[in-house]
C-alpha cells in the first residue's frame, strides 16, 4: 500500500487514511505493508499508477503489479492523498480460467443467487486477482461482496472433505466465521459472502463455490454439492446450517 503526498503521514494519520479508504472501497487494509512516499504535488490518481509501474521496473514489486492495483484520491483532515493498494502476487493464476467457467455453469443451471448483483462481481478484477493470490483462509471485502478462500492440495471430493475440520463442510464454514455471519440477523448493508475452494494436486485443478446472501435463506445460497457429505447432500431441501 502506497501513500503519495507532500508530507509523510504519522501513525495516526495512516490509520485515518486506511479507514477512509476502507469506507470508500470496503477493502480492509489492516495488517498490510505501508510505504510512505513523498509526492511531487500532482495529486492525481495517475501518479499512483506511475509509481507502481516504477517500483515494478525497479524490482520492488512483482511482475504484473499494475494490473493488481487499486488507486483512490482521498482527502483526510483537509489533506489530499493518493493511495495505491497493490493486491498480492497471483500464485494460482489458473483460477482466472476456471472461475469464469464455473460461474457460467451456475448461472446456466438457474441458481437464484447467481442473479444477485454482487454475484456478477466474482468474475471481475480485482476479485479474481485477490482469489488468485489469496492464502488459505484469507478474506477480503469488495463493496457488497465478501470473499473467503480455502486452499486444498487435493481434487478428489472425498479427499477434499477429509481435510476439512471434522471432515465436514458446515464445520469448515463455522471455523471461518461464515456460519455466524449468515445466521446473524440480516441488515440491508450486510455483504453477500462467497467462499471459494481452490483445489490442486499437482496434476488436476478444480474450484468449488459456496455463496450466501444476507438473508440466509436456502433459496439465496449455493452449496458446493460435490464436497458435501452424503448426509448433507440428502438434506439439501433444508439449509444445512
Amino acid at each position: 500500500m502506497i501513500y503519495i503526498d507532500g508530507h509523510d503521514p504519522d501513525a495516526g494519520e495512516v490509520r485515518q487514511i486506511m479507514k477512509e479508504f476502507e469506507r470508500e472501497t470496503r477493502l480492509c487494509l489492516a495488517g498490510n505493508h505501508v510505504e510512505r512516499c513523498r509526492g511531487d504535488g500532482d495529486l492525481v490518481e495517475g501518479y499512483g499508477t506511475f509509481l507502481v509501474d516504477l517500483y515494478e521496473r525497479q524490482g520492488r514489486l512483482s511482475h504484473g503489479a499494475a494490473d493488481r492495483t487499486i488507486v483512490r484520491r482521498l482527502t483526510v483532515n483537509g489533506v489530499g492523498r493518493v493511495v495505491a493498494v497493490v493486491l498480492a502476487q497471483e500464485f494460482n493464476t489458473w483460477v482466472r480460467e476456471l472461475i469464469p467457467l464455473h460461474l457460467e455453469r451456475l448461472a446456466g443451471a438457474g441458481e437464484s443467487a447467481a442473479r444477485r448483483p454482487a454475484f456478477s462481481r466474482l468474475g471481475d478484477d480485482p476479485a479474481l486477482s485477490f482469489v488468485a493470490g489469496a492464502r488459505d483462509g484469507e478474506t477480503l471485502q469488495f463493496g457488497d461482496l465478501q470473499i473467503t478462500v480455502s486452499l486444498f492440495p487435493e481434487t478428489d471430493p472425498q479427499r477434499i472433505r477429509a481435510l476439512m475440520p471434522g471432515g465436514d463442510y458446515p464445520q469448515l464454514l463455522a471455523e471461518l466465521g461464515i456460519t455466524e455471519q449468515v445466521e446473524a440477523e440480516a441488515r440491508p448493508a450486510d455483504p453477500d459472502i462467497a467462499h471459494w475452494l481452490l483445489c490442486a494436486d499437482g496434476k488436476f485443478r478444480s474450484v468449488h463455490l459456496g455463496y450466501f446472501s444476507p438473508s440466509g435463506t436456502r433459496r439465496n445460497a449455493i452449496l458446493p454439492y460435490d464436497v458435501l457429505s452424503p448426509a448433507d447432500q440428502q438434506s439439501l431441501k433444508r439449509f444445512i446450517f
Side-chain angles (χ1 to χ4, degrees):
M1 181 172 58
I2 304 168
Y3 298 93
I4 304 100
D5 188 58
H7 65 83
D8 294 338
D10 60 27
E13 289 175 310
V14 168
R15 287 192 293 271
Q16 288 180 293
I17 292 169
M18 293 173 68
K19 184 176 181 180
E20 179 62 19
F21 186 91
E22 181 177 355
R23 186 195 66 78
E24 182 170 316
T25 66
R26 300 299 293 274
L27 292 177
C28 179
L29 304 182
N32 283 270
H33 176 69
V34 176
E35 286 275 355
R36 297 172 175 83
C37 303
R38 187 176 298 277
D40 60 1
D42 185 17
L43 288 176
V44 296
E45 294 185 13
Y47 185 70
T49 304
F50 163 77
L51 198 62
V52 170
D53 285 335
L54 175 63
Y55 280 6
E56 182 177 336
R57 291 196 300 271
Q58 294 175 344
R60 298 172 63 181
L61 290 170
S62 59
H63 178 70
D67 295 331
R68 308 191 306 274
T69 299
I70 304 170
V71 184
R72 290 291 187 274
R73 187 181 188 281
L74 308 174
T75 300
V76 178
N77 295 333
V79 178
R81 306 280 186 180
V82 172
V83 182
V85 174
V86 184
L87 299 176
Q89 183 179 5
E90 297 182 6
F91 302 102
N92 296 308
T93 56
W94 52 270
V95 304
R96 287 186 170 275
E97 179 181 354
L98 291 190
I99 283 179
L101 294 175
H102 192 75
L103 297 176
E104 184 178 348
R105 286 197 297 269
L106 290 173
E111 290 282 359
S112 60
R115 296 192 292 270
R116 294 183 60 80
F119 186 91
S120 63
R121 303 180 63 186
L122 285 173
D124 298 332
D125 279 314
L128 275 179
S129 182
F130 165 68
V131 175
R135 305 291 185 177
D136 185 48
E138 192 169 358
T139 294
L140 196 60
Q141 190 163 322
F142 300 84
D144 55 355
L145 174 66
Q146 173 185 307
I147 302 178
T148 298
V149 176
S150 292
L151 305 180
F152 294 92
E154 296 283 355
T155 55
D156 178 79
Q158 290 186 350
R159 292 175 180 168
I160 294 170
R161 190 169 63 250
L163 294 174
M164 296 177 182
D168 185 63
Y169 181 65
Q171 189 168 330
L172 172 61
L173 293 177
E175 292 211 359
L176 291 171
I178 294 175
T179 299
E180 183 178 353
Q181 292 175 276
V182 174
E183 287 184 331
E185 182 178 355
R187 298 178 302 279
D190 286 345
D192 284 13
I193 300 172
H195 177 218
W196 281 113
L197 290 75
L198 309 187
C199 310
D201 60 10
K203 184 177 181 181
F204 300 105
R205 295 162 178 169
S206 63
V207 297
H208 302 271
L209 176 66
Y211 194 89
F212 312 95
S213 72
S215 64
T217 60
R218 172 65 187 93
R219 62 184 176 82
N220 285 322
I222 294 174
L223 300 172
Y225 184 88
D226 290 347
V227 299
L228 296 179
S229 68
D232 285 330
Q233 290 176 350
Q234 290 295 321
S235 64
L236 279 179
K237 292 184 178 180
R238 65 178 179 83
F239 200 50
I240 64 173
F241 296 124

